[in-house]
Every structure is written in C-alpha cells, then in structure tokens.
Amino acid sequence: MLRYGDKVAVALSGGKDSTSLLYIMKKIMEGHRSELLALTIDEGIEGYRSESIENAVKIAKDLTVPLSVKSYKDFFGLSLDEAMHVKSEKGLKATSCAVCGPLRRRAIDRAAEELGANVVATAHNLDDILQTFYINLYSGDIQRIAWLDPEFSSNSDNFASRRIKPAMEIYEQELAFFAYLNNLPLQSESCPYMNEGIRTEIRMNLNDLERKHPGIKYSTLKTVISIAKVLGKSEISPGKAAMRCVKCGAMSSGPICSVCGTLDILRVE
Ligand code: SF4
C-alpha cells in the first residue's frame, strides 16, 4: 500500500482503531523515506468529540507525528449538531450518519490536500467493511459495493489522494485488544447519533454469526472483495459508470455528489 516518498496522512479520530493504526504506521515507517502526518476532523458533536480529540492530540504528541485538527465548521460553516438541528427543522428523513459520513470524507480530503499529503490512510477494519457492504446491499447501492475494492480506492485517478485501509483485514476486537495491550488511549463515550441507522444492528448480527461460526467474517470479506472486483469489471464499474459532480468535480454516482447534495439540502456552502 505504501511507496517510497509517499506523504501519508492518517485520519486520526482518536478512537481505538485510528490510534492503533497511527502507532503501527509510525513503527513500520521508521527509517522509510516517507512522511507520516495525522489529521483529525472535529464533526462538532457535543459531549462526544472532545474526549477523542484529546486522545488524538496525546497520541500524536507521544509518537511525535504532526497533527492537524480541522472541523466541519471550518469547511462547511456548521457543526454536525447544527446540521442535525436544520435537518429536524426541515423534517428530513436522512439519518445523522448519512449526513455525517459524506461530510467527513470530504473534510478528510480537504484537510489532506492542505497538508500536501498524497495518501490518506483510514482505520477501517474488517467489521467496518462488512457493515458498509450490507448497508449498501440493503439500500441497493451497487456502485458503492464496487467502491469497496481496495484497488479502486487506492487509484489516485479516482480520488484527490490515494486512499488506503491498512487495517481492513483485521477484526475490530483485535484492534481493540491491540490498543489495550499497548496502553493506547481508549474512548469511553459513543457518538449519540450512532444508533439511528441500521449499522449497529448489522454489527450485532455479524458478531452473533461470528460467535457461532468463527472465521465467517473473514471469509465474507474475501467474498465482498471478489464481488467488488467483478462489479468493477462490469458496466456499472466505478471507472465507467461514475461521473464527476457538476458542482465540485468529485467522483459521484449521480450528477451531484452526496456532499454537495447534503450541503444543498442544509443550504450551506
Ligand atoms: Fe458521524 Fe454517525 Fe460516526 Fe456519529 S456515528 S460520528 S454521526 S458517522
């Protein structure tokens, strides 16, 4: 995933996954001719974010990795809490995560661009990938399933920077154990919006299956990647079917990307 000379920005939320990733990348990149940075995006979620930002600042300082902290407010003019207020005033049905996810991806891209990073490493673990697969499967978003092919997201022609997911074959529980064993800061608060969508139910179902059939998550990941690759060669291939957003030029499955669409609905620039 890494090449000599890369300038890698780790998306550091301050949770167990991203702190573990930064810790590991710092070790493996020592002596490498590549540069390691970290970026933290503050969504603006009261009672939740301050602890993880403190964790991010601490681990970056301990590892002597330069950290840049940016917020939704910096990039979009409003915090997630404010966006949720607008959403409920307008009676919009979208879940908080459906608003938050695209904004975070865009904020990470912009922050990485400001840092001059050509690679963004995110701490998506095996469980995250499977949950995303099922969310897209249930909502019929085939193109987003095709985007799960790591080769697609790591192609810099498709995104502003190469996206890599070094922890995508690692179980969430193993990352938590790694963080615990290495005394990495752990977050005690959960996002207050996390149970609005279907992700938590999928997560619990997958954990239940894994308990009864150890290894099933790992074999499902292999299937997911194979499906994504097959889709990538088909007519709905992200390379063939995806278009550029008419507003911002980002890769999109429609004429307007999810970020511009979300911002339009919230009527902020
Ligand atoms: Fe955003 Fe949803 Fe994650 Fe909360 S759980 S930080 S709303 S994506």
Side-chain angles (χ1 to χ4, degrees), residues 19-88:
T19 51
S20 297
L21 179 64
L22 189 71
Y23 182 90
I24 294 164
M25 290 196 59
K26 173 71 181 181
K27 278 197 183 294
I28 62 173
M29 285 175 71
E30 225 125 42
H32 222 265
R33 269 195 297 118
S34 303
E35 198 176 334
L36 184 64
L37 308 164
L39 61 88
T40 295
I41 303 298
D42 178 2
E43 297 92 347
I45 303 173
E46 205 182 326
Y48 163 64
R49 253 302 169 220
S50 44
E51 182 192 22
S52 55
I53 290 175
E54 272 173 31
N55 288 349
V57 170
K58 180 176 185 314
I59 185 83
K61 190 168 172 233
D62 289 352
L63 296 173
T64 62
V65 175
L67 170 70
S68 165
V69 182
K70 293 285 177 177
S71 68
Y72 282 7
K73 198 121 186 161
D74 293 335
F75 291 127
F76 312 118
L78 84 178
S79 67
L80 187 70
D81 283 340
E82 288 164 348
M84 291 308 99
H85 185 66
V86 175
K87 182 179 84 99
S88 63

